[in-house]
Amino acid sequence: KQEVTQIPAALSVPEGENLVLNCSFTDSAIYNLQWFRQDPGKGLTSLLLIQSSQREQTSGRLNASLDKSSGRSTLYIAASQPGDSATYLCAAGEAAGNKLTFGGGTRVLVKP
Amino acid sequence: NAGVMQNPRHLVRRRGQEARLRCSPMKGHSHVYWYRQLPEEGLKFMVYLQKENIIDESGMPKERFSAEFPKEGPSILRIQQVVRGDSAAYFCASSPGGPGLPQHFGDGTRLSIL
C-alpha cells in the first residue's frame, strides 16, 4: 500500500528566499508524481506533473525533481513571494487507473 | 473553458438525511475521481469512474456511499443516512484519459452534518 509523506508540515520564510518542499513515497512503482497547491477553502490547482520516466519538470519559478529509486520528489520555488503562501500537496499516481495517493501537505507562509 | 464544476459548494444536512454531491467534469474529460478530505487529514481516494462504469471503488466506505457517472449528466456521489463523521470536503477531479494524464480538481463540496 502506497504511503506518501511530506516534511516539514509547515514552513515560514521571508520573501525572496527559495523554498524546498520534500515528498517521499514508499512504493517506487508509481506512474507519475503530481504537485498541487491548495488555498484555504479552495480546491487543488495542479502545478507540475512528472512522469515516472522523467527526472524533473519546470514551470516558471517552479521546479520539481523525481528520484524513483529513492522514493523522493522535491519541489523548488525560487524567489518566494507572499502570494506563494498556501498548502502544497504531492500525490503519487498508480499505474492502474491513476488514482492518487496524497501526502499530508506542507503549509507555507511567505512573510513580506 | 470551464473547469471541473462541483455543486453545491456547501451542503448542510441533519443526521439520517441523504446528501447528493454533483460533479461536472471538464469538457472532453470522461474519467472522474472522487476524493474526501476529513478535518485535519489529507485527501483520500474514494472512487474512480468512467462513463456508466465504476472502475475502482476501493476507497469507498462499504455502506451508505455510492457513486455514478451516467451517460448524460454529472457524476453523483450519494451518501445515505449521513452521520457526523461524514462531515468533510469532497473533491472531484477529472482527466481526459487514464494513467499519465494530470487530474484537474474542482473547488469541492463542504458537507456539514448537524
Side-chain angles (χ1 to χ4, degrees):
Chain A
K1 180 188 171 187
Q2 179 74 272
E3 291 182 9
V4 179
T5 303
Q6 291 185 249
I7 295 173
L11 187 59
S12 179
V13 299
E15 182 177 1
E17 195 165 296
N18 296 332
L19 285 163
V20 181
L21 307 179
N22 298 302
C23 172
S24 61
F25 45 94
T26 55
D27 186 351
S28 61
I30 62 170
Y31 207 89
N32 54 43
L33 193 293
Q34 198 165 353
W35 281 93
F36 296 89
R37 167 186 173 137
Q38 185 176 29
D39 292 285
K42 298 287 188 180
L44 281 68
T45 300
S46 179
L47 298 174
L48 291 167
L49 172 75
I50 313 175
Q51 304 293 354
S52 61
S53 58
Q54 297 175 321
R55 299 282 295 188
E56 67 177 346
Q57 278 287 341
T58 298
S59 175
R61 294 185 294 114
L62 276 60
N63 173 276
S65 65
L66 175 65
D67 184 341
K68 274 185 59 176
S69 61
S70 65
R72 294 185 184 190
S73 177
T74 303
L75 177 67
Y76 302 90
I77 303 178
S80 62
Q81 303 168 359
D84 294 329
S85 298
T87 296
Y88 291 83
L89 298 161
C90 71
E94 66 168 44
N98 201 30
K99 74 181 185 188
L100 298 176
T101 301
F102 282 85
T106 294
R107 192 167 59 253
V108 171
L109 176 63
V110 180
K111 298 178 181 176
Chain B
N1 185 20
V4 177
M5 303 300 291
Q6 290 189 250
N7 67 81
R9 290 294 311 278
H10 300 274
L11 182 61
V12 180
R13 285 286 178 265
R14 296 189 180 279
R15 281 178 292 172
Q17 290 184 320
E18 178 180 288
R20 283 189 177 227
L21 288 62
R22 294 175 183 76
C23 169
S24 296
M26 286 181 69
K27 188 176 181 180
H29 288 195
S30 58
H31 296 239
V32 165
Y33 306 79
W34 285 93
Y35 296 84
R36 178 166 67 173
Q37 188 172 38
L38 291 165
E40 306 304 322
E41 292 189 22
L43 280 97
K44 298 279 194 275
F45 167 80
M46 299 182 75
V47 62
Y48 163 38
L49 310 102
Q50 295 179 26
K51 285 284 186 181
E52 299 186 278
N53 287 304
I54 297 175
I55 307 302
D56 181 351
E57 56 181 349
S58 59
M60 287 279 269
K62 294 286 185 279
E63 297 176 347
R64 302 187 297 108
F65 285 71
S66 63
E68 62 176 7
F69 189 17
K71 187 176 180 181
E72 301 290 337
S75 175
I76 306 287
L77 179 67
R78 182 182 176 204
I79 311 172
Q80 295 178 292
Q81 299 177 315
V82 297
V83 301
R84 288 248 169 89
D86 297 333
S87 295
Y90 291 82
F91 291 96
C92 168
S94 73
S95 78
L101 296 175
Q103 294 182 23
H104 299 268
F105 281 73
D107 282 342
T109 293
R110 270 83 184 161
L111 176 64
S112 298
I113 309 302
L114 301 179

